[in-house]
Each structure stands twice: as C-alpha cells, then as structure tokens.
Amino acid sequence: LPEDTPNIFSSRAALSGYLQIVEKLYMDDQLDVAVRAAQDAFETTGWPAGGWTEFYNRLVCEKEARDFSAVYKLDPTLTIEISRDAPSDMREGLESAALDARQKVTSLLEMELKIPCIVSVFLPDAPLEFISGSYGYAMRKNSLSKICLPWECAQSHERALRTLTHEFAHVACYELLEGKDEPSWLAEGLALYLCGDVSDEKCRQLVQSDPKFARLLSMSHLQTALSSSDLRKDDPELVSAAYKLAGSLVAWWVGKKGLHSLRDAMVMLARGWNTTLATYVAAEMSPHAIERGWRDYILGPNPHQPLA
Ligand SMILES: [Zn+2]
C-alpha cells in the first residue's frame, strides 16, 4: 500500500465525525458553532466534494442572516429575523404577512401549530444558488420549524403573504405528519394550492407544449421530478412544471373531496399507513383513480372555453 493510505482513511473518519457534529448543530439551529465546526473540518481534512458544498452554503447564509438581523418575537410560537437595515415598513409588512399566512393555513387545515417557528429573511446579497424557484424553504429542525425567505420575497406584503403561505403549508405538513415522510407532490401541491398559485389553464398549455411535460401527468413522475436535486440543476423547467402540475393535482383532489380529506390522509400517513391506504380511506378514492380523474380533466376539453 502507498505510504499515505492510513492518512486517507483517518481523515475520512475524522471528516464524517465532523459532518455529524455540524449537522447536529445545524439541526439545533446553533448556526455560529456549526459554521466554526465546519471550518475546523476543512482545516483538518480539506474541502469535501459533493452535496456538502450546498449544505455549507445554506448554513453560512442562515448564519449571516442571523448575525445581521434583529429578532422580533410576535407571540410564543412565532419569531421573525430580519436585517437591522431593513426599512421599518418592510419589517411591519413581513410581520403582518407572517401572522396572516399562519392564520390562513391553520384555519383552512383546521389545526393549530404547536412547535415554535422562526421566519428568517436572508440578506439581500446572499448567494442563494442552492434554492430553486421563487419561494424560500421551510424545514423542521430539532425543536423548532424554520422558514427561510429570499430578501425579494419580503419586499411587499403581498409577495411575503404568498410565499409565507406556501412555507407555512410545509410547516403544517411537518406537524401533521409527526416526522413521517409524505409524497413530495402532495406537500408541494398543497403549498401551491393554499397560496393560490394554481392555474389549470397554464398546466394545459404546458402539457400540450412538450411531451416531456405531458409525462408529468402521473404521481410517480411528479414525485421523481420534485425529489431529484440533479434534475433541479439539469432541467429546472421540468421541475418548475412539476410544481405547477402538483398544485393542479391537489386542487383537483380538494375540488372533489374537500381539503379535510387531504388533511386526513396526512394524519393517516403519520400513523404509519402507506400512501395508497391513507388516500383510499381519507378520499374514498385510490391514488390511481385520483390520478386518472385529474389527467382526464387536464387533457380533456376546457369546460370554460367558449364554443366556437
Ligand atoms: Zn415548497
């Protein structure tokens, strides 16, 4: 064996140990310490390749937002972090948008959010290449939910309300699912539906414009498109179409069976039921029947089109 072999192994072991620590600190939202631990890892073992870079960029952007932000606790479960340099009308718009968005999501889903949530706005110059699309992201950390928004999304009350409604829908899903996984098409579709970003007409135009979009008229293809980080880079158009179609699919389900049936399906997923069973019991339709009904609706004649 070449002389340096043991070093490679020991540095790999050190790296994986560091990464576990950094990840745990990130999940505890201890961003300062997490960044320091990550930098120690680089000094000891060099820069690791792969998905780690994206995670590190996300960590640093969240940390810098915190470092330059003022913190406003709106109530026991809702806190806002926004740059101390933000104009006061922007901050006030964000505060009321956060309260309104949470209220909208919880009243539509007939639930309460119990886990504390931090809404953090990234700095205007943050390099956010790791975010795709026009929203931010929501995530469940160890003892809180966190919503991170690009600066532009907090510029107007209207845009903040739309983006935050999308992200609070994800936060609500995390609480309903109690840590269980849910299909991405359901999570994203619900988020688009609740913030009013659904247009069946746009979906019809999409699927007629290119067979690759028409293939997305299936739950499993939507799932693949929404959960692949490679596709986000290689074919962002396809992923963006998948968001729109997932919204349309959920809107179709809600139109037929009501929003409560979708919420009930998530409650059953939280109990450990599989998607087919949860859907069947909550919506009294199999996923296959929902998929077929929605596909026929999108591919069929537009009922709102005036007759020639
Ligand atoms: Zn989303």
Side-chain angles (χ1 to χ4, degrees):
L1 283 171
E3 228 174 68
D4 61 352
T5 306
N7 282 335
I8 292 175
F9 286 120
S10 69
S11 78
R12 271 191 199 148
L15 180 61
S16 102
Y18 271 121
L19 295 190
Q20 280 170 20
I21 294 168
V22 175
E23 202 191 356
K24 170 157 194 323
L25 290 164
Y26 175 73
M27 292 305 282
D28 286 339
D29 218 32
Q30 299 288 327
L31 303 171
D32 261 340
V33 205
V35 168
R36 236 176 298 142
Q39 283 160 356
D40 283 351
F42 301 151
E43 276 169 28
T44 313
T45 62
W47 183 272
W52 168 244
T53 305
E54 196 164 289
F55 169 67
Y56 181 72
N57 291 342
R58 175 196 280 233
L59 168 62
V60 169
C61 287
E62 284 188 35
K63 176 202 177 293
E64 290 189 339
R66 174 154 299 160
D67 288 350
F68 290 95
S69 285
V71 176
Y72 303 88
K73 194 162 180 156
L74 304 188
D75 64 29
T77 57
L78 185 55
T79 301
I80 304 282
E81 282 179 2
I82 185 166
S83 165
R84 289 187 285 271
D85 297 335
S88 62
D89 57 340
M90 183 176 169
R91 174 179 53 81
E92 285 156 17
L94 179 73
E95 284 182 9
S96 70
L99 291 163
D100 292 350
R102 184 183 60 178
Q103 173 62 28
K104 183 176 177 186
V105 168
T106 53
S107 72
L108 285 170
L109 291 174
E110 299 173 53
M111 66 180 291
E112 259 181 73
L113 295 180
K114 299 196 175 76
I115 296 164
C117 181
I118 297 179
V119 173
S120 178
V121 179
F122 287 120
L123 299 179
D125 55 352
L128 300 179
E129 290 83 23
F130 57 91
I131 299 183
S132 62
S134 55
Y135 303 105
Y137 56 84
M139 65 176 306
R140 179 83 174 86
K141 294 200 176 189
N142 286 335
S143 55
L144 66 139
S145 301
K146 188 163 183 189
I147 294 174
C148 295
L149 294 186
W151 178 263
E152 314 80 77
C153 292
Q155 288 281 337
S156 74
H157 176 271
E158 190 201 351
R159 180 146 179 213
L161 179 63
R162 190 157 48 87
T163 317
L164 282 167
T165 304
H166 181 112
E167 302 306 343
F168 269 112
H170 288 313
V171 169
C173 286
Y174 300 143
E175 292 206 22
L176 284 171
L177 285 155
E178 298 170 11
K180 298 283 194 317
D181 285 337
E182 73 187 319
S184 302
W185 60 264
L186 185 65
E188 292 305 342
L190 179 65
L192 265 80
Y193 172 76
L194 291 181
C195 74
D197 264 357
V198 174
S199 162
D200 293 332
E201 203 36 56
K202 259 188 208 138
C203 291
R204 289 198 178 93
Q205 287 165 8
L206 268 173
V207 300
Q208 282 161 14
S209 71
D210 192 326
K212 80 173 180 181
F213 297 139
R215 276 194 293 276
L216 290 173
L217 291 169
S218 118
M219 287 171 180
S220 68
H221 288 158
L222 284 178
Q223 185 62 24
T224 309
L226 290 170
S227 53
S228 156
S229 52
D230 287 343
L231 266 180
R232 280 171 195 271
K233 289 189 199 79
D234 300 344
D235 197 348
E237 251 194 335
L238 186 81
V239 174
S240 151
Y243 273 89
K244 292 188 177 77
L245 287 159
S248 163
L249 169 57
V250 163
W252 188 88
W253 175 342
V254 172
K256 289 281 173 214
K257 299 292 175 178
L259 191 52
H260 59 92
S261 78
L262 214 113
R263 187 207 50 215
D264 292 349
M266 285 191 275
V267 170
M268 288 165 195
L269 288 170
R271 287 183 198 151
W273 296 24
N274 67 41
T275 310
T276 304
L277 201 57
T279 309
Y280 199 80
V281 172
E284 298 170 307
M285 282 178 90
S286 67
H288 184 68
I290 291 176
E291 180 185 278
R292 199 176 45 218
W294 166 66
R295 190 195 297 134
D296 289 349
Y297 167 68
I298 292 296
L299 291 176
N302 181 353
H304 302 298
Q305 214 156 31
L307 293 170

